[in-house]
């Protein structure tokens, strides 16, 4: 399959190399002519300008951008002016997911599909493969499947597909996942990059824009609900992160296994005990002046899970009722 790659930094160049090794034809363009020349010497088709780049793409064309987020939008707009209905533009950089939603809407008016691909793998991706978190229209994503399959690591020793797997889990075990509509790929990558901050819950709430919300003085409105309409498959996401992602770990393996068995975690109450090591580590951090905000937040969350914050929460409700007449809303599901 032919693919155009614009932006030939360390990741972009290695993606081209992996694709060519997999038998794909790559048309390449970068503002640095040497980056283009290096890949032409390895078998790529070089371009000297964006116009030249597009002219060398077979129709319907597929152009993948690996650019800094600050210049991705303007380049997508310029590129779209040179492309035609039926073409696909792919953004594989670390762009803000809301920009992806907006760009997809703009390109759809021209008949051009926009696919956002959160890409993890760093400088080791050429050999290990790249973990790909994909957002975009079904038809465009399916058309690009051979590209994604080549860039991804493959299952390797991390576990083969089983007959009961969904299509999501099948590709996730290969290292790539269609997460939802345009913007969903970068949304999942955003959480991926912040996973050390304990942000997986944000994935679970990514479809808040599809839900009905109370409109009253006690409920903060959801601004811009159009940016929160992703129904994320938590089990598949945790699975795809195991393959080629820089956050792969044994703990992630265990998380993926737990979500695969019970996606809603219905078998757990959420009460988390602690055996003391977290407290002692935090105390050592305090004694030695080492900042450990994530550890302290995680430890206090464990206390809260056991009802230790219940009295403080009740007191806060009492104060709000006293000063503003704010009555408690019933618990969700009550």
């Amino acid at each position: 399959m032919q693919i155009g790659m614009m932006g030939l930094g360390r990741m972009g160049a290695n993606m081209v190399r992996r694709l060519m090794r997999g038998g794909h034809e790559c048309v390449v363009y970068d503002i640095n002519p040497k980056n283009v020349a290096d890949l032409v010497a390895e078998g790529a088709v070089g371009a000297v300008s964006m116009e030249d780049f597009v002219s060398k793409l077979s129709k319907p064309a597929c152009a993948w951008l690996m650019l800094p987020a600050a210049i991705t939008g303007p380049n997508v707009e310029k590129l779209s002016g040179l492309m035609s209905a039926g073409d696909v533009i792919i953004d594989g950089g670390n762009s803000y997911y809301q920009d992806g939603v907006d760009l997809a809407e703009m390109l759809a008016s021209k008949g051009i599909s926009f696919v956002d691909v959160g890409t993890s793998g760093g400088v080791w991706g050429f050999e290990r493969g790249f973990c790909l978190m994909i957002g975009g229209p079904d038809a465009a994503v399916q058309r690009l499947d051979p590209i994604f399959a080549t860039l991804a690591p493959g299952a390797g020793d991390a576990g083969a597909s089983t007959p009961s797997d969904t299509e999501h889990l099948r590709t996730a075990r290969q290292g790539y996942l269609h997460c939802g509509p345009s913007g969903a790929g970068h949304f999942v990558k955003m959480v991926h990059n912040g996973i050390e901050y304990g942000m997986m819950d944000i994935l679970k709430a990514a479809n808040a824009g599809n839900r009905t919300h109370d409109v009253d003085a006690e409920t903060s409105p959801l601004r811009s609900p159009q940016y929160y309409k992703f129904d994320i498959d938590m089990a598949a996401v945790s699975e795809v992160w195991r393959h080629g992602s820089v956050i792969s770990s044994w703990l992630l393996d265990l998380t993926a296994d737990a979500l695969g068995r019970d996606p809603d975690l219905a078998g757990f109450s959420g009460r988390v005990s602690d055996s003391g090591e977290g407290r002692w580590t935090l105390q050592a951090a305090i004694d030695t002046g080492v900042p450990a905000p994530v550890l302290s937040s995680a430890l206090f969350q464990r206390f809260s899970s056991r009802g230790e914050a219940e009295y403080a929460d009740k007191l806060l409700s009492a104060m709000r009722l006293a000063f503003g007449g704010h009555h408690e809303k019933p618990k969700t599901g009550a």
Side-chain angles (χ1 to χ4, degrees):
M1 181 175 179
Q2 188 201 61
I3 186 86
M5 184 69 72
M6 183 172 143
L8 306 174
R10 286 188 296 270
M11 283 187 68
N14 277 340
M15 291 167 71
V16 169
R17 293 184 176 102
R18 188 171 175 91
L19 287 168
M20 290 194 298
R21 188 174 69 179
H24 300 282
E25 177 186 300
C26 294
V27 178
V28 298
Y29 171 62
D30 192 276
I31 58 171
N32 185 337
K34 183 179 184 305
N35 291 346
V36 176
D38 287 347
L39 288 171
V40 168
E42 297 178 38
V45 177
V48 298
S49 66
M50 190 181 295
E51 291 77 8
D52 187 37
F53 173 72
V54 174
S55 73
K56 292 178 176 177
L57 296 176
S58 303
K59 292 294 184 179
C62 298
W64 188 310
L65 280 64
M66 289 297 291
L67 302 174
I71 63 171
T72 294
N75 276 282
V76 167
E77 292 189 36
K78 182 178 178 181
L79 187 62
S80 70
L82 302 171
M83 299 181 79
S84 310
D87 292 346
V88 180
I89 295 177
I90 307 109
D91 172 20
N94 282 328
S95 301
Y96 186 38
Y97 81 94
Q98 292 188 8
D99 293 340
V101 174
D102 295 339
L103 285 171
E105 184 177 1
M106 183 271 289
L107 293 180
S109 66
K110 302 181 179 184
I112 299 172
S113 296
F114 180 79
V115 175
D116 56 296
V117 183
T119 307
S120 181
V123 296
W124 303 101
F126 172 57
E127 291 298 338
R128 295 181 67 233
F130 298 89
C131 177
L132 306 174
M133 295 145 268
I134 305 157
D138 290 349
V141 173
Q142 289 167 7
R143 175 178 154 200
L144 290 164
D145 188 80
I147 297 296
F148 299 141
T150 300
L151 287 171
D157 297 328
S161 298
T162 66
S164 62
D165 280 352
T166 63
E167 178 63 12
H168 274 175
L169 283 174
R170 183 192 68 78
T171 65
R173 287 198 167 96
Q174 302 298 315
Y176 65 103
L177 176 66
H178 185 195
C179 302
S182 298
H186 282 144
F187 187 95
V188 174
K189 180 57 161 44
M190 173 184 73
V191 178
H192 166 283
N193 281 15
I195 199 67
E196 65 268 29
Y197 303 110
M199 290 167 57
M200 275 194 81
D201 283 350
I202 297 174
L203 285 179
K204 187 68 174 173
N207 66 348
N210 290 326
R211 300 199 296 264
T212 301
H213 297 267
D214 293 338
V215 180
D216 55 42
E218 303 302 314
T219 305
S220 176
L222 176 64
R223 295 183 59 188
S224 305
Q226 70 271 25
Y227 296 131
Y228 299 96
K229 294 191 174 184
F230 308 126
D231 290 308
I232 304 296
D233 186 331
M234 298 288 287
V237 167
S238 60
E239 180 64 36
V240 76
W241 283 348
R242 298 177 60 223
H243 304 269
S245 163
V246 297
I247 64 168
S248 57
S249 67
W250 183 45
L251 286 176
L252 185 57
D253 292 345
L254 297 176
T255 299
D257 181 67
L259 289 172
R261 295 173 186 271
D262 182 5
D264 295 323
L265 301 178
F268 300 89
S269 68
R271 187 185 193 281
V272 186
S273 301
D274 75 285
S275 54
E277 289 89 345
R279 305 182 192 209
W280 306 330
T281 305
L282 185 57
Q283 185 59 58
I286 293 170
D287 290 344
T288 57
V290 176
V294 176
L295 174 60
S296 63
S297 178
L299 181 61
F300 293 144
Q301 180 60 37
R302 289 192 177 203
F303 296 163
S304 181
S305 78
R306 303 197 294 263
E308 301 298 337
E310 184 176 1
Y311 185 80
D313 291 341
K314 288 182 177 180
L315 188 57
L316 181 57
S317 289
M319 286 190 290
R320 295 186 77 247
L321 177 62
F323 71 68
H326 301 286
H327 292 275
E328 288 184 324
K329 299 191 69 173
K331 291 182 179 180
T332 302

